[in-house]
Amino acid sequence: MKTNNIIVKSEYYQTEIDEFGVEYDLTNSILIDAYKFNSKSYKVKQGTIKILHRAFIDKVNLESIEIPDSLKIIEGQAFQNCSSLKSINFNEGLTSIEFFAFNGCESLRFIRLPASLSTIEKGVFSSCSNIQTFEINKKNMSFVFDSGIIYSKNKDVVIGAISSLIQTDICLKEGVKQIFGYAFYNCKMLKIIKLTESMKSICESAFENCISLQIINLPKGLKSIGKRCFTHTIIKSISIPKNTELIGKQAFSACYALESINVEESNSHFRSISGVLFSIDNTILLNYPSGKKQLKYIVPKTVTKICKGAFQSCRYLEKVELPIGLTNIEGNTFSNCRNLDNVFIPNGLTEIRESAFETCGCIEEIQLPNSVNSIKRRAFANCGNLKKINIPPELTDIESHAFLNCDNLKVNVHPMNPRYKSFDGMLFEKCNSIFGLSEFYNEGDHPF
């Protein structure tokens, strides 16, 4: 075996690779990587105590793996997207399974967690859509499994859910205070969930991609709603309780049926104006409901920040007027607004961030003010009808694929721009004209 020297997570290892292409440290106590592995089955060496982060990620041929009694820790994403993995034995002695360790292992059928297990992090079994049997050893002192849901032992925290075992209408156990991130992610059959009055926190992406979820009550004592918490659900309306203090970015983005986001009047952090969610002082626009049946929207003059994904997938919106005082358009702000054909961008705005207008298929022309100096990656990607855009003199940072698949686009660069030029409607760098269109329009070519 060949000996290598590598650094993983700032730790130094001398390593060797076995005959299957799996890399260990020299003591065989740490399984480091399996980037050369390509078999259907594997037996982890006896004496191994830890499988490192992303060790077997995307090994789609792996069907079974045998774990030794010595194993203590499976780090994050260790087996993520091993889509053919059907079986794995969790030994007594295993203490920790970290974030997304088996996310996307859609062929898993049977899981039995040992009594020794004390840590299950977020999303461990997310998108494991074909699990038929899930058990936790009755002697386990940390977790309990009930009706498709993994709870902490005293049932005050929802750790996760097994999507294939979840009913369409569920009621959480009394006393639950927190729902972990990604707990119900991709539970596509879930339609109704009743939260407990004791609930304080719903973490990131807890219900993301629950594409059938229509009804959820937010209890009065709820303090925080994590980012992307309800993204890609079909809830029609939501009411933010008076005690809610934190709402993460994109919490209600791409909710196609959502027509109104309401806030209790006594809430001291947020308010709703005509169903649109704002900070209490009206300076931050957090979310515009994707299903709001309004063709034109003028963002209030008080707004100085629009959050990431705020208008994402608004199916009816055709025209938006942005206020003076706004300095940037955040990532995904208007992405997938398929009927949006007109956006007024005010002078003073300096940056258009990644995927801000991606897949806005009706936009034909963008007028950029002279203040704009940066357009980030994929900002206008897949805007198939975009025909005209002006590049002002101060715009000197256009990232790769900013105009990917904009096949009808003609670019006009201001002659005083120090970095870019246009010829016959095409965009070039002055210092290296051979790059031409490829850096801005095509996948896989020359990034800057």
Side-chain angles (χ1 to χ4, degrees):
M1 293 185 184
K2 182 181 177 181
T3 300
N4 301 312
N5 298 312
I6 66 169
I7 296 175
V8 180
K9 290 187 177 180
S10 299
E11 293 190 32
Y12 176 82
Y13 295 101
Q14 281 193 311
T15 70
E16 59 183 15
I17 300 174
D18 69 12
E19 64 271 28
F20 297 98
V22 179
E23 189 169 18
Y24 290 83
D25 72 334
L26 294 184
T27 67
N28 289 333
S29 62
I30 298 175
L31 192 159
I32 295 171
D33 209 329
Y35 62 94
K36 294 184 177 180
F37 176 83
N38 197 32
S39 299
K40 290 186 176 182
S41 62
Y42 187 70
K43 182 177 181 180
V44 178
K45 292 182 179 182
Q46 186 64 41
T48 301
I49 61 172
K50 183 190 293 187
I51 298 175
L52 290 193
H53 179 229
R54 298 169 64 91
F56 288 88
I57 192 169
D58 296 331
K59 294 298 177 183
V60 296
N61 292 326
L62 180 63
E63 295 182 2
S64 65
I65 189 158
E66 188 175 337
I67 289 176
D69 295 339
S70 56
L71 192 70
K72 302 292 184 185
I73 299 169
I74 300 174
E75 287 194 350
Q77 299 177 285
F79 296 92
Q80 180 169 302
N81 295 331
C82 291
S83 55
S84 299
L85 183 62
K86 298 175 182 178
S87 65
I88 183 169
N89 63 305
F90 292 105
N91 58 293
E92 285 296 341
L94 182 68
T95 60
S96 178
I97 306 176
E98 296 181 0
F99 60 96
F100 305 122
F102 296 92
N103 175 41
C105 293
E106 57 190 33
S107 296
L108 279 175
R109 297 291 190 270
F110 174 81
I111 295 291
R112 187 176 191 273
L113 300 181
S116 57
L117 190 66
S118 58
T119 299
I120 302 175
E121 294 188 355
K122 66 181 180 182
V124 166
F125 298 107
S126 293
S127 300
C128 295
S129 55
N130 288 297
I131 293 176
Q132 298 172 358
T133 303
F134 190 95
E135 298 176 357
I136 299 177
N137 190 306
K138 292 181 180 180
K139 294 181 180 179
N140 187 290
M141 300 301 293
S142 300
F143 309 107
V144 64
F145 186 67
D146 191 331
S147 302
I149 300 172
I150 307 168
Y151 292 92
S152 59
K153 192 69 172 183
N154 59 4
K155 294 188 177 180
D156 64 343
V157 178
V158 171
I159 308 296
I162 306 304
S163 60
S164 55
L165 302 177
I166 283 289
Q167 299 173 354
T168 58
D169 185 346
I170 62 176
C171 179
L172 296 183
K173 298 297 181 182
E174 287 299 326
V176 171
K177 297 178 181 178
Q178 182 184 27
I179 299 176
F180 263 23
Y182 294 85
F184 293 90
Y185 180 85
N186 216 25
C187 288
K188 294 182 178 180
M189 301 303 294
L190 180 62
K191 293 182 178 180
I192 301 170
I193 185 167
K194 184 177 180 182
L195 305 182
T196 60
E197 288 302 315
S198 56
M199 184 69 64
K200 300 296 182 186
S201 174
I202 307 174
C203 297
E204 64 174 312
S205 299
F207 295 95
E208 183 175 357
N209 213 35
C210 292
I211 58 174
S212 300
L213 183 61
Q214 303 173 26
I215 300 173
I216 187 168
N217 65 303
L218 298 183
K220 295 179 180 179
L222 185 66
K223 290 187 176 294
S224 67
I225 300 171
K227 60 184 179 181
R228 300 187 310 275
C229 194
F230 297 99
T231 297
H232 292 122
T233 62
I234 56 170
I235 52 176
K236 294 182 178 180
S237 66
I238 200 81
S239 182
I240 308 300
K242 65 178 182 179
N243 291 314
T244 301
E245 302 171 353
L246 186 150
I247 300 176
K249 292 179 181 179
Q250 298 177 280
F252 305 103
S253 293
C255 296
Y256 302 108
L258 185 61
E259 298 182 9
S260 179
I261 302 172
N262 303 307
V263 181
E264 286 192 32
E265 289 186 6
S266 55
N267 188 297
S268 59
H269 297 274
F270 306 102
R271 68 171 51 184
S272 176
I273 302 175
S274 301
V276 182
L277 181 62
F278 292 86
S279 60
I280 192 66
D281 60 0
N282 292 344
T283 61
I284 302 173
L285 191 159
L286 285 87
N287 251 124
Y288 183 99
S290 298
K292 187 176 176 65
K293 296 176 181 177
Q294 185 171 325
L295 302 183
K296 180 179 179 180
Y297 186 69
I298 300 174
V299 178
K301 295 179 180 179
T302 56
V303 171
T304 58
K305 179 179 180 181
I306 298 176
C307 287
K308 181 177 182 179
F311 290 88
Q312 185 177 356
S313 300
C314 289
R315 60 172 64 187
Y316 298 102
L317 205 57
E318 295 179 359
K319 301 182 188 301
V320 174
E321 185 173 322
L322 302 177
I324 295 173
L326 193 68
T327 58
N328 65 69
I329 299 175
E330 293 278 356
N332 294 103
T333 295
F334 296 100
S335 64
N336 204 37
C337 291
R338 295 180 180 271
N339 290 311
L340 185 67
D341 59 19
N342 187 292
V343 178
F344 171 75
I345 300 175
N347 196 33
L349 189 133
T350 60
E351 185 178 44
I352 300 174
R353 294 185 177 170
E354 64 282 349
S355 301
F357 292 94
E358 184 167 354
T359 320
C360 291
C362 286
I363 291 180
E364 294 188 7
E365 181 177 352
I366 290 289
Q367 289 291 333
L368 298 178
N370 287 338
S371 55
V372 173
N373 58 45
S374 179
I375 298 178
K376 298 302 184 185
R377 192 175 189 272
R378 302 182 68 92
F380 295 95
N382 302 313
C383 292
N385 283 316
L386 183 60
K387 295 180 175 65
K388 183 179 179 181
I389 192 167
N390 62 300
I391 305 298
E394 300 300 321
L395 178 48
T396 57
D397 175 32
I398 302 176
E399 290 191 354
S400 61
H401 310 144
F403 304 107
L404 176 69
N405 295 329
C406 295
D407 298 331
N408 297 307
L409 180 61
K410 299 293 184 182
V411 179
N412 181 38
V413 180
H414 193 283
M416 297 301 292
N417 190 295
R419 184 174 182 184
Y420 303 114
K421 62 182 179 181
S422 56
F423 177 76
D424 196 25
M426 296 185 291
L427 180 62
F428 294 84
E429 270 200 295
K430 285 183 176 179
C431 65
N432 196 343
S433 61
I434 64 168
F435 284 157
L437 290 170
S438 64
E439 299 167 46
F440 309 102
Y441 300 88
N442 301 321
E443 283 282 14
D445 290 314
H446 310 284
F448 285 139

